[in-house]
Amino acid sequence: NVIIFGESGVGKSSLVNMLSSDDNALAAVSNQALGCTFETEPYQVTIDEREYVLWDTAGLNEGSKGSVSADEACEKLVDLLKQLKGGVHLLVYVVRGTRFRRIIKINYDIFQRVVFRGQVPIVLVATGLENEESMEKWWDENKDDLADNELYFKDHACVTTTKGKISKSGEHIFEEEYDLSKALARLLVK
């Protein structure tokens, strides 16, 4: 059981789709700031012949105009934890690849310190890095801020979860970055 969490609109559902072994979308995605995942949804994926259940959670921090309130998101998490058989094996914290913001620590603390009391490994996936010359540069520029705020991760992946528009040559403009991201994300979960 792998729980994928983070703010609304950071690419959690896109990450679920990228982790699947084929190009068929498993989870609904949206290009809007508000999330499109209203319930916690399980998705079966196979990575190198091993089965995983990815739990795509409702987005956190949508505010008063969001489709899922903060209280509802927490209630859905508690309901999920009650029904999970076999426990939780990994937390995947998905953040948008921008500068460090205080809300990143708040959400980390809720999941890692309060709910799971540091008993479950946590990894970080930074998304939205398709326009960067080196996606890994985000980690290099932000790892000290994360450590200074006591956010510790077993590992990380800096990725894009979009292939981008189709170019005149008929290929997606971020196909190469997406393929690399898919390999990194699958290795991270494995």
Side-chain angles (χ1 to χ4, degrees):
N1 287 312
V2 178
I3 295 181
I4 299 174
F5 74 100
E7 290 179 86
S8 297
V10 296
K12 296 180 303 294
S13 297
S14 294
L15 178 65
V16 167
N17 291 335
M18 190 169 70
L19 288 167
S20 72
S21 57
D22 56 30
D23 284 334
N24 296 323
L26 298 174
V29 297
S30 171
N31 61 1
Q32 298 178 10
L34 297 179
C36 63
T37 303
F38 307 109
E39 299 290 330
T40 301
E41 297 289 340
Y43 298 96
Q44 297 270 350
V45 300
T46 304
I47 300 175
D48 294 340
E49 300 180 17
R50 186 167 181 187
E51 295 292 320
Y52 296 84
V53 179
L54 306 178
W55 294 90
D56 187 8
T57 61
L60 303 171
N61 313 106
E62 284 192 348
S64 60
K65 295 182 180 176
S67 55
V68 179
S69 71
D71 288 342
E72 281 180 286
C74 288
E75 285 175 24
K76 290 176 188 303
L77 176 61
V78 169
D79 290 344
L80 167 64
L81 296 177
K82 287 178 183 175
Q83 70 177 332
L84 279 183
K85 292 181 175 45
V88 176
H89 302 91
L90 181 66
L91 298 172
V92 178
Y93 189 6
V94 182
V95 299
R96 180 67 62 191
T98 57
R99 298 296 301 160
F100 179 82
R101 296 175 305 120
R102 190 86 183 129
I103 196 65
I104 293 173
K105 178 171 176 47
I106 291 168
N107 290 333
Y108 176 96
D109 287 345
I110 289 170
F111 274 77
Q112 185 61 347
R113 295 200 172 101
V114 176
V115 176
F116 293 100
R117 297 186 183 103
Q119 300 297 308
V120 176
I122 185 170
V123 296
L124 178 76
V125 174
T127 64
L129 300 169
E130 56 273 0
N131 289 310
E132 301 300 320
E133 190 172 316
S134 166
M135 292 186 287
E136 185 65 17
K137 184 178 176 187
W138 183 89
W139 178 257
D140 295 336
E141 292 176 349
N142 289 279
K143 65 183 175 186
D144 291 338
D145 284 339
L146 296 170
D148 289 347
N149 284 280
E150 300 179 340
L151 280 73
Y152 304 109
F153 299 95
K154 188 163 180 74
D155 206 346
H156 72 279
C158 297
V159 305
T160 179
T161 55
T162 181
K163 293 180 183 181
K165 294 180 181 181
I166 297 178
S167 68
K168 292 179 181 178
S169 66
E171 295 185 14
H172 291 97
I173 59 174
F174 300 124
E175 188 86 33
E176 187 176 316
E177 292 86 350
Y178 182 88
D179 290 343
L180 172 62
S181 296
K182 183 172 184 170
L184 291 171
R186 290 170 64 87
L187 185 61
L188 183 69
V189 169
K190 183 179 154 184

